[in-house]
Amino acid sequence: MEPLQITGDKSLTARPMLPEDEPAASRVLAACEDHFLAATGSPALAADVQSLYYSLPDCADFEQKHLLVLCDGAEVVGVVDAVAGCPDARSCSVGLFLLTPKARRKGMGTLVARHLLREAAARGLRRVTATCPQSWTPGLAFLEKLDFEVHPPRQKTASTVGNRRGSATERDLCTAVREEHEPPRGVGQHDR
């Protein structure tokens, strides 16, 4: 995947995470303590970045995994973890979409998310799912702003949570779903 230029001035980009990005990605996760405390009851661990590479749901292969870093200029300010084509070919599951607290509430996350949602739709992905701790109100508000339908937590019945295997420490996760509907035939297409 090529880096995605989000704004015209090239300052905001989303690009694949590289091995040399791991220290910066680890700093992002550490800065997002509010999310991890809400999700697991404890802060992020140093090994959490490494676990992003290997954490997959049963329906996916490693080729479907997309780890992105969000950059404001040269600074890594966010991490996205998604699996395309899971649970089916027209779906995408998002495990993490985190911005550092200093990058939040500036419209960056919304710009990037809307851009990535358009990219996913252009690639034929019509359903995007995400999870968010019920007590993490900034995350729930962000999902609702992006037109996700947020469902309350339900009792765990499967080992898969979002786009990865669930952890025993995760609790009270809401599921959010956003459906892209097919445009009617001929809309946006020129008759020949």
Side-chain angles (χ1 to χ4, degrees), residues 3-4 6 11 13 21 25 75 85 92-93 103 115 130 152-153 161 168 173 184 188 191:
L4 302 172
I6 309 300
S11 65
T13 57
D21 293 320
E75 182 182 4
C92 178
S93 297
H115 189 87
V161 176
L173 294 178
D191 292 330

Side-chain angles (χ1 to χ4, degrees), residues 99-110 137-139 141-142 145:
L99 289 175
T100 60
K102 74 177 191 173
R104 295 178 193 163
R105 314 249 350 124
K106 297 179 180 180
M108 278 191 249
T110 301
T137 54
F142 179 68
K145 181 177 183 177

Side-chain angles (χ1 to χ4, degrees), residues 58 125 156 173:
D58 295 332
L125 300 171
K156 283 188 180 183
L173 294 178

Side-chain angles (χ1 to χ4, degrees), residues 98-142:
L98 293 175
L99 289 175
T100 60
K102 74 177 191 173
R104 295 178 193 163
R105 314 249 350 124
K106 297 179 180 180
M108 278 191 249
T110 301
L111 273 174
V112 172
R114 289 196 191 287
H115 189 87
L116 292 174
L117 288 166
R118 282 192 302 274
E119 284 285 317
R123 295 173 188 212
L125 300 171
R126 298 289 175 231
R127 180 182 174 97
V128 178
T129 60
T131 56
C132 183
Q134 184 176 29
S135 64
W136 196 44
T137 54
L140 294 173
F142 179 68

